[in-house]
Amino acid sequence: MATIRDVAKLAGVSVATVSRVLNQNGYVNKETEKTVLQSMKELSFEPSQIARRLAGKTMKTLSLILPDISNPFFPELARGVEDIAQQHQFNVFLGNSDNLEKKEKSYIEVMQKKSIDGLIIVSNTVEEETIRKLQNAKIPVVLLDRPFTGNNCSIVRARNSEGAQLAVKHLFEVGCRKIAHISGPDNINPAYERLIAYTDMVSGHDWFSESLIEDGGFDIKGGREAMKRLLQSNADIDGVFAGNDLMALGALKELLQMGIKVPEQIAICGFDGIQLTEYTEPGITTIAQPIYEMGALATEVLIKKIQGEEHENKIFELPVKLIQRNSTNKNHVQMGGLAWRKK
Ligand code: RIB
């Protein structure tokens, strides 16, 4: 691949002159510039990303690392990131860590070598040291959705505790008198906050016991298995708050499979607000996070840092809202056994 020296030799100028033409800084007369550009074309010269970066030009690339792209929550989050990045002429490199610390670290190393301009990360495993090294390398970081304590960068997330309180309050309001919780993994910050908020809301009731809490792993299969265990230990539950919508989908599937009527016998409320919850029968009531807006805001914050317009670290906690559907509408008449229906 042709280098800047090959271009200088062919054009009969110095490397410094070629660099000035490349980076559009400093004086070059029109004839010389034309000769240099012609030489670049003849040699199919691509200015190295490093050369551009060393010249202090931002390379207009940011990176987004997500923990599980098979969960519809994350593509919606990525949509917000990508749209705002494009508005500011930034490209986005996407990495999927599968919640694996080793894979996440490998992505961060590769992206650092590609000299990205900034990083947005959704992680419950990234280490403080890793973030510090990135920031020392002048690569700002924004934590999205899943921060951990003690970090020294900006954070964008939803009000998880408030959302969990909203879910439990709604289940009480529709007549539930014994409410269980299918939680996400407790090493994931938002899942833990929702679990604590649920427990604070119900632990004072005489019917409460720890057997009303089962871990559903934040996925459909886990939600279904957790629902089965809950019914084995508490046959008289009449409401379930699932810590995300995929687990609520799994719980619904299990109940319908067992011939249990939703919501007449057991009402279900999820968390996230992914589109799938509109298409089940009954539709699933959920606590909707501003998913797209979270991704969009994280990107605005990061680009301001990349462009030197923002230096302090801030925490942005966005409001959530209850979306009521028939999985908690006690007056709802079950429409046959199908769990899925077209809109
Ligand atoms: O469904 C995925 C979950 O992981 C969401 O609740 C989101 O908050 C993320 O942490």
Side-chain angles (χ1 to χ4, degrees), residues 71 73-74 145-146 190 194 218 244 272 289:
N71 180 327
F73 174 88
F74 294 108
D145 174 63
R146 293 182 180 181
R194 295 166 202 165
F218 261 168
N244 81 343
D272 280 352
Q289 299 194 61

Side-chain angles (χ1 to χ4, degrees), residues 27-76:
Y27 173 73
V28 180
N29 78 42
K30 285 293 167 215
E31 267 314 299
T32 304
E33 184 178 40
K34 198 173 159 197
T35 308
V36 169
L37 292 172
Q38 185 54 39
S39 305
M40 284 179 181
K41 198 172 169 195
E42 279 175 38
L43 294 170
S44 309
F45 172 72
E46 280 297 318
S48 103
Q49 298 283 30
I50 306 290
R52 281 188 57 74
R53 185 164 187 81
L54 290 173
K57 302 276 181 196
T58 59
M59 295 184 353
K60 311 292 277 181
T61 302
L62 54 91
S63 171
L64 170 64
I65 297 182
L66 297 173
D68 175 11
I69 54 172
S70 65
N71 180 327
F73 174 88
F74 294 108
E76 209 172 316

Side-chain angles (χ1 to χ4, degrees), residues 186-205:
D186 61 12
N187 66 325
I188 295 179
N189 189 287
Y192 182 69
E193 288 182 334
R194 295 166 202 165
L195 167 63
I196 296 301
Y198 157 82
T199 310
D200 289 349
M201 289 281 280
V202 301
S203 55
H205 290 271

